[in-house]
Amino acid sequence: MTGGAVLRPEPLPRTVRLLLLARVVNQLGAFSLPFLTALICTDYGASLTTAGLVSAVFGLATIPSRLAGGGLADRIGPRTTIVLGLCGCAVAQLAIAASSSLTCAVAGAVVLGLAFELYEPPSQAIIGGSVPEPQRVRAFSLFSAALAAGGMGAGLLAALLGRWDLRWLFVSDAASCLACALLIGLALPRDRPAPPAVKQDDTAVRPLRDRRLLGVLATGTAYALINQQTVMTLPLALARQGLPAADAGLLFTAAAATTVLAQPLIRLPWTSRLTTPAALALAHLLLAAGLAGYALSRTLPTLLASAAVWSLGDLLVMGRVYALVTDLAPPGGSGRYLAVFGTSWGIAATLAPLLGTQLLAGAGTTTLWSTMAALCLLLAALHLRVTPQSPSLCNGAGPVRRRVSGAA
């Protein structure tokens, strides 16, 4: 057939594409954190409870880190903030790798937490401010896919290095952070901080008074708590089942590959027509199915299949929720809104290792994953009742596409 018309998405801005590339580079070494608890247990003989407390301290430190990232992006610029955060992470990762005692490892974990989230608010604000509203779901989904693309290599690297020495995972992560910082510093445009009048705009600094944002923050924190269980507790859970903890790297790779390969699902007409509450409800049903698979699986192949199902739900969540928060923010306030919403990850990173290690030690892997699956079902119902629709979609905007004539 000739003379047909093909619909293609508008290309993303160069700045966003460079940011996606930099994140791939960073993510290639970014699977040390899930093995922090395993390192503490194996190298220092610490108990599960102690390992959970150390991870909780790390998570607690990420909360001021996320808020500082939003504030610094406004004051010194997003590029400088991103580079500062990445270099801080590299220093902390190397300190953990070189630590000779549990005290030194804990100190490194605290420094890592304080630097860990500086990157996120400015990078998300760059994406949200660089693309039109109808393209934000796609842009944030691609950001998630960029993490997954780097994660495929990272998961294999973790499986390889983890069998040799877990400390090399932290060295690899530090190297990827420095490479990403170099790429960001050379490729992104020079910072142009907003003038003082804009910085002091009262409408941009009141995210905690926005009830819509607080509702999204509550459900987002619950989701992040579940997500962090699949990151922080998974290596320990595999060990409890008699499988190598390093096999978590293979599960991370399967999830990452699914996220990359499933990107076309975001652009399907029926998924783009879903309201934000309906899309998030569907996502949590998929998350529940994947976690139920974790609860029932006893072999690596079935665990890999469960990881793939889980990642489909994760893909739907990441694109929609960050686009929603960006749309809720007033002009000039996206960095602060994203920073406040991002504290959900710090809260979850604090609570997840405590909850996960206690459930794992007291009730076992089946109860751990079954509890998380039940929480996903509850969140699916809550999204249909309390989650606001994205303003850009309420205004009737559809996906922005360009029409290209061609022959088929």
Side-chain angles (χ1 to χ4, degrees):
M1 182 175 62
T2 61
V6 181
L7 293 178
R8 294 172 56 186
E10 285 286 347
L12 294 175
R14 179 177 178 274
T15 298
V16 175
R17 286 184 276 120
L18 288 171
L19 193 60
L20 296 178
L21 174 61
R23 203 57 196 265
V24 170
V25 173
N26 181 219
Q27 196 69 8
L28 283 172
F31 269 120
S32 61
L33 184 58
F35 296 92
L36 178 60
T37 51
L39 176 69
I40 290 170
C41 290
T42 58
D43 281 30
Y44 304 111
S47 66
L48 279 176
T49 299
T50 300
L53 286 172
V54 174
S55 290
V57 169
F58 162 82
L60 190 62
T62 66
I63 297 176
S65 173
R66 174 79 67 153
L67 295 173
L72 286 173
D74 287 342
R75 290 174 174 82
I76 65 176
R79 186 181 71 167
T80 303
T81 303
I82 291 172
V83 171
L84 178 65
L86 289 169
C87 291
C89 285
V91 170
Q93 297 276 13
L94 292 174
I96 293 173
S99 60
S100 57
S101 66
L102 180 60
T103 301
C104 293
V106 172
V110 172
V111 175
L112 180 61
L114 292 173
F116 195 76
E117 297 288 354
L118 291 178
Y119 183 106
E120 294 296 341
S123 61
Q124 292 162 359
I126 288 173
I127 293 174
S130 300
V131 299
E133 288 181 351
Q135 283 190 295
R136 283 177 183 161
V137 172
R138 172 174 168 255
F140 281 112
S141 295
L142 286 173
F143 192 61
S144 177
L147 300 181
M152 286 190 287
L156 295 175
L157 189 62
L160 175 63
L161 295 180
R163 283 177 166 80
W164 181 22
D165 189 334
L166 292 177
R167 291 174 184 262
W168 282 105
L169 294 175
F170 294 87
V171 175
S172 173
D173 200 347
S176 71
C177 284
L178 292 175
C180 183
L182 180 62
L183 182 58
I184 290 289
L186 294 176
L188 287 192
R190 185 179 300 274
D191 286 326
R192 294 179 180 177
V198 175
K199 290 181 185 177
Q200 297 170 0
D201 184 355
D202 202 37
T203 63
V205 295
R206 292 185 175 183
L208 290 177
R209 299 186 183 183
D210 190 329
R211 293 184 178 180
R212 300 170 303 167
L213 176 64
L214 293 180
V216 177
L217 175 61
T219 55
T221 300
Y223 160 75
L225 178 64
I226 299 166
N227 182 285
Q228 289 298 290
Q229 295 298 337
T230 68
V231 174
M232 292 185 170
T233 316
L234 184 57
L236 295 174
L238 291 178
R240 295 270 294 193
Q241 292 177 269
L243 295 171
D247 280 355
L250 299 177
L251 298 182
F252 296 146
T253 301
T258 304
T259 299
V260 173
L261 296 175
Q263 278 297 307
L265 293 176
I266 298 296
R267 300 195 298 270
L268 290 177
W270 72 270
T271 54
S272 61
R273 285 196 298 265
L274 286 175
T275 64
T276 299
L280 291 174
L282 173 61
H284 282 80
L285 292 177
L286 290 170
L287 295 174
L291 289 165
Y294 277 175
L296 299 174
S297 298
R298 293 296 179 269
T299 63
L300 184 58
T302 53
L303 286 168
L304 290 169
S306 300
V309 174
W310 155 269
S311 67
L312 289 175
D314 191 56
L315 173 64
L316 286 176
V317 171
M318 298 304 284
R320 288 282 184 155
V321 75
Y322 283 105
L324 172 60
V325 173
T326 303
D327 287 352
L328 292 177
S334 62
R336 299 295 177 89
Y337 267 58
L338 287 163
V340 169
F341 174 74
T343 60
S344 60
W345 293 98
I347 296 169
T350 304
L351 298 178
L354 299 176
L355 175 62
T357 52
Q358 290 303 309
L359 279 174
L360 197 57
T365 58
T366 300
T367 299
L368 169 65
W369 301 126
S370 297
T371 301
M372 295 301 106
L375 183 54
C376 281
L377 293 176
L378 175 61
L379 284 173
L382 281 175
H383 277 300
L384 294 174
R385 294 184 62 87
V386 304
T387 298
Q389 174 60 298
S390 178
S392 64
L393 296 179
C394 286
N395 292 334
V400 174
R401 301 176 184 270
R402 60 177 176 175
R403 185 173 297 271
V404 180
S405 297

